[in-house]
Amino acid sequence: LAKTTQPISMDSYEGQEVNITCSHNNIATNDYITWYQQFPSQGPRFIIQGYKTKVTNEVASLFIPADRKSSTLSLPRVSLSDTAVYYCLVGRTGANNLFFGTGTRLTVIP
Amino acid sequence: EAGVAQSPRYKIIEKRQSVAFWCNPISGHATLYWYQQILGQGPKLLIQFQNNGVVDDSQLPKDRFSAERLKGVDSTLKIQPAKLEDSAVYLCASSLDRGSSPLHFGNGTRLTVT
């Protein structure tokens, strides 16, 4: 099983860059790394996905080192609306090794 | 594109009663999932369909939970009889296929069992 470990919570001030790291020592060769964001009373929302190196979209960047045993979600210049729970998933969609952990609760402070 | 639709949004029932949740996935998405999310925890997969066939129901409490996906589109999840510990948010998700396609979630049904 590709178990993941991420911090339970993080606080950040508005306008700062936030980096959330996820450890996944047992990642398999064909596993993807996918991050989701969840606001209260909503379902998780896809943020970004990567396999290796760096991926960037309009919302975030994902950094994956060569050994792929960890990954870092980077949120540039966070705002209050980025307060949410962020989940790191490792695996392939539809596979029985794809689990949501407890996620990282990010609180953005004014 | 329209997102994943779920209803009802909220449901309150007494223990031992039955309840059903409905999900309409994104058009064209072959794979549909039902998750249970207990307060403070991440979503837990209950069952996964590929078109109208069950791919994985290993985490579904089959003595009380059932699900179906007729014609490979809409799906219903039923609980009968409900227990207090079934109080949770039930999330439906769909994906274009299995592999690298991301999950698209609905906003869920919040079930309270009293």
Side-chain angles (χ1 to χ4, degrees), chain B residues 34-73:
Chain B
W34 283 101
Y35 284 83
Q36 178 193 59
Q37 186 171 25
I38 293 172
L39 189 63
Q41 299 181 17
K44 182 184 105 174
L45 180 67
L46 293 175
I47 189 168
Q48 177 188 166
F49 293 92
Q50 179 74 10
N51 296 311
N52 60 350
V54 175
V55 174
D56 179 10
D57 63 356
S58 58
Q59 299 298 307
L60 188 74
K62 299 180 188 64
D63 58 334
R64 298 183 300 106
F65 286 65
S66 64
E68 61 181 6
R69 189 182 184 194
L70 299 176
K71 301 180 181 178
V73 182

Side-chain angles (χ1 to χ4, degrees), chain A residues 1 3 7-8 12 17 20 22-23 31 40 44 49 56 61 70 78-79 86 88-90 97 101 104-105 109:
Chain A
L1 293 180
K3 180 174 164 43
I8 293 175
S12 175
E17 178 184 76
I20 305 175
C22 180
S23 298
D31 284 344
Q49 182 183 74
T56 297
S61 295
S70 67
V78 294
S79 64
Y86 293 82
C88 164
L89 273 70
V90 172
N97 68 339
T104 297
R105 182 173 299 276
I109 306 164

Side-chain angles (χ1 to χ4, degrees), chain A residues 33-55:
Chain A
I33 300 161
T34 311
W35 286 80
Y36 291 85
Q37 174 192 56
Q38 187 175 27
F39 298 114
S41 301
Q42 294 185 24
R45 181 176 74 103
F46 169 79
I47 301 176
I48 196 166
Q49 182 183 74
Y51 183 79
K52 61 180 179 181
T53 64
K54 176 185 173 182
V55 180

Side-chain angles (χ1 to χ4, degrees), chain A residues 52-108:
Chain A
K52 61 180 179 181
T53 64
K54 176 185 173 182
V55 180
T56 297
N57 62 23
E58 64 278 6
V59 176
S61 295
L62 179 59
F63 298 93
I64 305 169
D67 66 4
R68 304 202 327 126
K69 293 185 183 299
S70 67
S71 59
T72 299
L73 174 72
S74 181
L75 303 173
R77 299 179 298 282
V78 294
S79 64
L80 296 178
S81 62
D82 293 315
T83 294
V85 178
Y86 293 82
Y87 294 98
C88 164
L89 273 70
V90 172
R92 297 176 65 82
T93 302
N96 59 8
N97 68 339
L98 193 66
F99 293 100
F100 283 84
T102 52
T104 297
R105 182 173 299 276
L106 172 66
T107 302
V108 180

